[in-house]
Amino acid sequence: MVTDRPDINQVLSQMRDLRSQIQTPSANASSGMAQNGMQATQEVERPDFADMLKTAVDNVNSVQKEATSLAQAYERGEEGVDLPQVMIGLQKSSVSFEAMTQVRNKLVDAYEKIMNMPI
């Protein structure tokens, strides 16, 4: 019996953690104040876009490295590494890379649109 297999609840928890990193409670509270006609007295600390992008790329890289190491461990015949675990790892790697590619495509498209705007 393999216990290292990712659980759907763990994957969902990781997704929620990433979402909570992007959405800060202070930003949500100040936007609610602005909608009610009140102004926030403090500056809202927002996450840096470059840092978020670097974190996302690093996460994709780590998922790919993990999937590669799982596949190599399976090919060597190591105990505790089964085929479903390897396939899930490879699919996670593929999906995360595809998502990062789509984000990159959207950024390039937005950049091109901005560059083509008349001054």
Side-chain angles (χ1 to χ4, degrees):
M1 182 172 190
V2 177
T3 59
D4 292 337
R5 191 177 298 174
D7 183 29
I8 189 67
N9 292 327
Q10 291 174 337
V11 174
L12 288 173
S13 175
Q14 290 173 352
M15 291 171 65
R16 288 183 186 116
D17 289 342
L18 288 173
R19 183 177 61 189
S20 68
Q21 288 175 0
I22 294 171
Q23 298 174 344
T24 59
S26 61
N28 292 338
S30 66
S31 66
M33 282 185 206
Q35 289 175 353
N36 292 334
M38 293 187 265
Q39 292 204 358
T41 58
Q42 297 178 350
E43 282 289 318
V44 177
E45 186 174 324
R46 296 186 181 163
D48 185 26
F49 180 74
D51 290 340
M52 286 181 14
L53 191 59
K54 183 182 180 328
T55 302
V57 170
D58 290 343
N59 287 340
V60 170
N61 187 36
S62 68
V63 168
Q64 287 181 331
K65 285 182 180 179
E66 181 181 330
T68 301
S69 67
L70 275 174
Q72 290 172 347
Y74 181 76
E75 290 169 357
R76 285 190 301 265
E78 292 182 11
E79 286 191 32
V81 179
D82 59 350
L83 185 60
Q85 181 182 11
V86 173
M87 296 306 294
I88 289 171
L90 291 172
Q91 284 299 317
K92 282 172 58 176
S93 170
S94 175
V95 168
S96 64
F97 183 75
E98 181 65 30
M100 182 58 60
T101 303
Q102 292 298 325
V103 168
R104 184 215 49 191
N105 291 344
K106 292 291 183 181
L107 286 171
V108 169
D109 185 46
Y111 176 77
E112 288 174 350
K113 285 180 181 179
I114 290 171
M115 292 305 293
N116 290 331
M117 285 183 177
I119 296 179

